[in-house]
Amino acid sequence: MSVNTRRTAEGAAVATQAPTAPAAPTEPTTPATPTTGPITREELQLASRNHAMPLEMLRWPVTPLGMHYLLVHFDVPQIDPVSWRLNIGGLVNLPHEYTLPDLQHRERRTCAVTMECAGNGRSRLEPRPVSQPWDQGGVGTAEWTGTPLAPLLLDAGVSPDAVELVFTGTDRGIQGGVEHQYARSLTLAEAMSDDVLLAYEVNGQVLPPQHGYPVRLLVPGWYGMTSVKWLQSIEAIDHSFDGYQQLDSYRYTQDADDPGEPVQWIKVRSLMAPPGVPDFFTRQRTVEAGPVQLSGRAWSGKGTVDSVEVCVDGVWEQAQLQAPAGRHAWRGWTFTWIATPGSHELACRATDSTGQIQPETPEWNYQGMGNNDIQRLTVTVRE
Ligand SMILES: Nc1nc2c(c(=O)[nH]1)N[C@H]1C(S)=C(S)[C@@H](COP(=O)(O)O)O[C@H]1N2
Ligand SMILES: [Mo]
């Protein structure tokens, strides 16, 4: 398989050659090359389809539905729940076909999970990878309800020859010149983790169409691309999955030809709910002088958040931490700031139990993945 310049960021159209396909794909119009230029019409188109969580929603421990971020590569499919089936097959002893009620009648579990798009923070890189141009709001926490995946895999009897499971969604489109259904894989061990769910409800409601109705995979701790929406099949295979969303996209790479490393666990990050009142156009903040309660949330996919620090005009101090809403959910933090008149710079950063800390400046990569750089905001304090 010729990968040529196929490796690109999430959602980006890319100048590419057809790998070995007989018919050349339609020539994409946007170059994938990172740019320092203004936001393009294609980026605006993606940004308005795939909305962020407004940062004031950090005040809620569970993000209200509709305020959770959204990322859809292709079109939201329209799925008839009556004819919908989930197929489990490939290298298994007993292939299964499940209806929605079949899954709903199995063990039911609810879990608060912080999900973040791997491309969150992408537009803050320089030069900027041309794709969904997230600033910082590509994150949210929801209470997902579903059935654990592991018992379904045990029922299917995955063959000892199987090394990975491929999760395929119903949605189809073209990315990097390759037409495919959205699909991602996990190793058998990863898929058997007790945390992994097939979710059919979110925040106590039926999954809305945009979040994967009727059933999505949910892999807590991993960046969002792993949690395949509109799930249609799970297939056990005896090799490493080489689908576009696995091998070409979601890699930490330095250029178009670098195979790089796979994007997996969510890096440590904290964000602050912007204090005071915003300016409509610039979003700059204004607060009254005196004690100001700063607050926000912090999370890490692999470890647990051990500390959050707040920086006022270059001086770091510890914030107070709250208990997380769940093992895979963010935890709240607060900090009382005595605001004095003038202009001030605020920042926050988290450290997790694996020793990861947020970087001062973004760590650049070609696809704009996993940028967890420190949030900074300028606040004007009035007498
Ligand atoms: N089938 C399918 N699953 C998908 C996607 C997609 O486009 N198609 N996008 C992925 C990405 S990149 C992210 S970040 C999350 C977003 O989930 P949400 O829109 O429910 O927040 O879904 C993932 N699952
Ligand atoms: Mo994503």
Side-chain angles (χ1 to χ4, degrees):
M1 178 179 63
S2 153
V3 279
N4 208 18
T5 50
R6 279 175 57 194
R7 290 193 184 88
T8 179
E10 179 171 72
V14 54
T16 185
Q17 301 296 318
T20 45
T26 323
E27 205 52 53
T29 51
T30 318
T33 318
T35 177
T36 52
I39 292 276
T40 62
R41 173 146 288 277
E42 287 82 1
E43 288 171 290
L44 171 63
Q45 210 166 242
L46 282 174
S48 48
R49 288 180 55 84
N50 298 312
H51 65 78
M53 179 192 71
L55 293 190
E56 64 271 27
M57 302 315 291
L58 288 161
R59 300 204 168 87
W60 279 253
V62 173
T63 315
L65 260 191
M67 289 297 190
H68 191 280
Y69 87 91
L70 184 71
L71 196 295
V72 176
H73 282 73
F74 305 132
D75 288 350
V76 173
Q78 189 178 29
I79 299 177
D80 168 19
V82 175
S83 56
W84 177 85
R85 296 288 181 276
L86 172 67
N87 281 286
I88 302 187
L91 296 172
V92 299
N93 295 329
L94 283 176
H96 276 73
E97 195 181 78
Y98 294 97
T99 64
L100 183 55
D102 289 341
L103 296 177
Q104 288 165 332
H105 290 134
R106 295 179 69 97
E107 182 190 341
R108 179 185 167 89
R109 208 186 282 172
T110 299
C111 190
V113 174
T114 297
M115 197 189 292
E116 183 175 12
C117 181
N120 196 19
R122 174 180 293 129
S123 73
R124 305 164 62 76
L125 302 180
E126 267 187 45
R128 180 182 83 253
V130 181
S131 180
Q132 164 70 24
W134 292 119
D135 185 22
Q136 293 168 318
V139 64
T141 296
E143 281 177 333
W144 300 94
T145 298
T147 194
L149 174 63
L152 287 150
L153 297 177
L154 292 176
D155 288 356
V158 178
S159 149
D161 298 335
V163 293
E164 288 195 1
L165 294 164
V166 182
F167 300 85
T168 304
T170 312
D171 51 326
R172 189 177 184 83
I174 302 168
Q175 196 177 339
V178 182
E179 185 169 337
H180 60 279
Q181 273 174 258
Y182 187 92
R184 291 275 312 176
S185 71
L186 290 172
T187 64
L188 191 52
E190 288 156 358
M192 285 298 290
S193 160
D194 188 45
D195 302 331
V196 176
L197 293 186
L198 299 184
Y200 46 77
E201 287 175 22
V202 59
N203 291 1
Q205 293 182 41
V206 170
L207 281 192
Q210 69 273 24
H211 289 299
Y213 180 82
V215 173
R216 81 177 299 170
L217 179 67
L218 189 77
V219 184
W222 285 55
Y223 279 116
M225 72 287 167
T226 322
S227 294
V228 177
K229 303 194 266 192
W230 312 294
L231 193 60
Q232 166 184 307
S233 65
I234 302 174
E235 195 196 355
I237 60 171
D238 64 1
H239 55 277
S240 298
F241 178 53
D242 63 0
Y244 184 85
Q245 304 294 344
Q246 195 76 25
L247 200 60
D248 300 295
S249 197
Y250 300 108
R251 315 287 296 194
Y252 293 111
T253 66
Q254 286 308 305
D255 58 56
D257 299 318
D258 174 7
E261 292 298 321
V263 173
Q264 298 183 332
W265 297 90
I266 299 175
K267 292 190 195 171
V268 67
R269 194 190 206 123
S270 59
L271 288 173
M272 183 186 306
V277 294
D279 175 72
F280 163 67
F281 186 62
T282 63
R283 308 305 299 174
Q284 297 255 11
R285 317 300 301 189
T286 300
V287 306
E288 303 295 325
V292 177
Q293 179 84 333
L294 301 177
S295 70
R297 312 234 164 232
W299 61 94
S300 167
K302 205 164 199 173
T304 53
V305 170
D306 279 353
S307 123
V308 173
E309 295 160 283
V310 169
C311 185
V312 179
D313 300 327
V315 181
W316 290 98
E317 286 187 71
Q318 290 291 330
Q320 284 75 53
L321 289 177
Q322 297 161 359
R327 202 159 75 74
H328 292 291
W330 55 25
R331 61 193 299 187
W333 59 263
T334 57
F335 182 89
T336 306
W337 171 41
I338 311 298
T340 55
S343 175
H344 298 280
E345 194 197 61
L346 304 178
C348 60
R349 73 174 174 208
T351 307
D352 76 7
S353 53
T354 72
Q356 285 189 84
I357 186 163
Q358 294 181 249
E360 289 283 329
T361 51
E363 285 159 2
W364 193 89
N365 58 78
Y366 187 79
Q367 299 183 3
M369 295 291 166
N371 174 20
N372 61 340
D373 73 316
I374 293 171
Q375 175 195 19
R376 293 176 191 283
L377 47 159
T378 310
V379 177
T380 303
V381 180
R382 263 195 319 233
E383 291 280 1

